[in-house]
Amino acid sequence: MSHSAFTHDLFDDDAASDYTPRAARARKAPPRRKLTEYSEGEQVLGSVTMTYQPARYEEVWLKSSLRDFFTQQYITDVLAQVKGGKEASVYRCAAAPHMGVEWLAAKVYRPRMFRNLRNDAMYREGRAILTSAGSAAKKTDHRLMRAIGKKTEFGMQASHTSWLMYEFVTLQTLFAAGANVPQPIAAGENAILMGYRGDGSRAAPTLSEITLDDDEAPRLFDEVLRNIALLLGIGYIHGDLSAYNILYWEGEVTLIDFPQVTAAAENPNAAFILRRDITRVCDYFAHYGVRRDPAQLTAELWREYVGEEDFAQLP
Ligand SMILES: Nc1ncnc2c1ncn2[C@@H]1O[C@H](COP(=O)(O)OP(=O)(O)OP(=O)(O)O)[C@@H](O)[C@H]1O
Ligand SMILES: [Mg+2]
């Protein structure tokens, strides 16, 4: 999606409000807290010059989302937008000198109020709510559970935080287990900061954007499978795995985009979701002569990591 389409889309509600009669506009005014947050972002970062020049509406959101990464001295500049999308935009940032790398990637989630959470009910089943500390909220926290069910402001914020923290915590666990994922650095209210794949002129392409050499395909396929197994080993399934969420850089693959991870043992759709992930990966690699049976691979992995019985229920 082009940059301008992203900014327009991102703030379409704002744009629409320009045409709303004054009385209606007053009723639709966002809660005060948010305005304060934004203006604090302006104050703290007003003096920061970003090499990347965001559009006016994108700027406030971007700055408030990345503010903590600047003040905690992880990054010193935003250099470019890598990709703007429906759910999130990713930016290449200059890492602070002590970070030991030149760049970091900031994934900034689309503002909660303008975002349709990816049809997420299927993934959330059997998944605890994660707090901003990355720990599971208690199911006995009735106030929280009720707020989420009723989609109150507080409940929506909690769902948003949980969605983002699943991505961050999964990256942490996978990275520690030796998976091919970006190194997670920090999580904020609307953004995560992680290792960047690519260089100063371009970010790593996704597998969907490139043509592999036939001779490297089998090794890369095995790598992807190794990562699927590592994730299953910690109890989760990616849930949106395909050539669109695997980066390729210098002969290596990197799996990305984890907010929808699915609990393998607790989610009744888990076997279906796992088979879908594996089928998409097999379909991609089949173009390069890697012929593997996705149903059989799914069954093997399921038996090894989750258990035989549940798999029999796969439709
Ligand atoms: N660590 C990274 N290094 C380099 N590029 C990255 C990194 N993480 C993500 N990207 C780029 O940003 C894009 C979007 O990231 P991601 O897949 O995590 O978000 P998304 O939720 O799919 O966003 P959308 O659905 O809006 O496209 C990726 O396709 C990739 O091109
Ligand atoms: Mg993606």
Side-chain angles (χ1 to χ4, degrees):
M1 187 181 275
S2 76
H3 169 68
S4 59
F6 159 71
T7 48
H8 173 73
D9 192 33
L10 181 64
F11 292 95
D12 46 8
D13 287 10
D14 276 8
S17 73
D18 286 341
Y19 305 101
T20 318
R22 182 169 292 182
R25 213 183 307 164
R27 271 202 309 280
K28 283 179 67 183
R32 209 150 162 215
R33 185 172 58 77
K34 277 196 210 97
L35 285 176
T36 319
E37 263 171 31
Y38 290 169
S39 59
E40 273 170 11
E42 291 278 51
Q43 273 163 27
V44 175
L45 290 175
S47 58
V48 170
T49 6
M50 297 198 303
T51 301
Y52 170 68
Q53 290 294 305
R56 188 164 63 91
Y57 290 118
E58 181 192 6
E59 184 175 2
V60 178
W61 176 252
L62 184 62
K63 284 183 171 180
S64 70
S65 299
L66 299 185
R67 176 183 50 196
D68 290 350
F69 301 155
F70 276 95
T71 52
Q72 290 161 8
Q73 299 188 343
Y74 292 121
I75 58 172
T76 56
D77 194 1
V78 179
L79 298 169
Q81 187 186 59
V82 172
K83 228 173 247 185
K86 295 185 301 299
E87 308 247 339
S89 295
V90 173
Y91 299 86
R92 178 166 58 88
C93 302
H98 67 95
M99 296 302 291
V101 290
E102 201 165 345
W103 302 290
L104 289 170
K107 179 172 179 176
V108 179
Y109 288 75
R110 190 179 155 87
R112 172 171 56 83
M113 53 285 200
F114 303 141
R115 189 166 76 108
N116 294 320
L117 262 188
R118 204 182 296 197
N119 188 7
D120 71 331
M122 176 158 93
Y123 306 105
R124 271 193 292 109
E125 261 190 277
R127 205 170 89 157
I129 293 291
L130 286 190
T131 66
S132 58
S135 51
K138 288 200 177 68
K139 284 217 179 78
T140 50
D141 185 342
H142 299 301
R143 179 171 159 260
L144 177 66
M145 297 306 156
R146 212 168 28 242
I148 289 170
K150 289 194 165 167
K151 299 198 169 159
T152 64
E153 171 73 12
F154 169 63
M156 299 275 279
Q157 181 59 50
S159 301
H160 177 83
T161 301
S162 178
W163 187 253
L164 182 150
M165 286 312 293
Y166 264 101
E167 171 139 56
F168 189 68
V169 169
T170 304
L171 284 177
Q172 281 184 316
T173 317
L174 277 179
F175 187 79
N180 300 49
V181 296
Q183 178 172 10
I185 307 290
E189 238 175 82
N190 297 304
I192 63 171
L193 189 65
M194 61 183 147
Y196 168 80
R197 289 287 186 281
D199 61 24
S201 55
R202 70 167 194 157
T206 60
L207 283 184
S208 62
E209 293 166 335
I210 55 160
T211 308
L212 292 179
D213 290 338
D214 281 357
D215 25 328
E216 63 184 338
R219 178 180 59 83
L220 296 178
F221 177 81
D222 288 346
E223 268 302 283
V224 175
L225 267 196
R226 181 182 80 90
N227 281 276
I228 293 174
L230 277 173
L231 187 52
L232 267 180
I234 59 169
Y236 286 96
I237 296 162
H238 186 290
D240 192 21
L241 195 61
S242 74
Y244 293 92
N245 281 327
I246 302 174
L247 304 179
Y248 176 88
W249 191 248
E250 294 177 341
E252 300 297 335
V253 284
T254 302
L255 277 63
I256 57 163
D257 203 4
F258 292 90
Q260 70 289 316
V261 284
T262 294
E266 291 83 13
N267 188 317
N269 310 308
F272 165 79
I273 294 172
L274 178 64
R275 190 175 64 182
R276 192 182 60 186
D277 276 3
I278 292 179
T279 302
R280 286 179 180 157
V281 170
C282 286
D283 286 351
Y284 176 83
F285 281 95
H287 294 299
Y288 300 101
V290 179
R291 308 236 173 268
R292 301 289 290 275
D293 178 358
Q296 192 190 333
L297 279 175
T298 309
E300 282 167 17
L301 284 168
W302 190 269
R303 253 195 304 278
E304 184 168 351
Y305 292 98
V306 195
E308 211 164 349
E309 284 162 37
D310 310 30
F311 190 72
Q313 293 164 15
L314 185 63

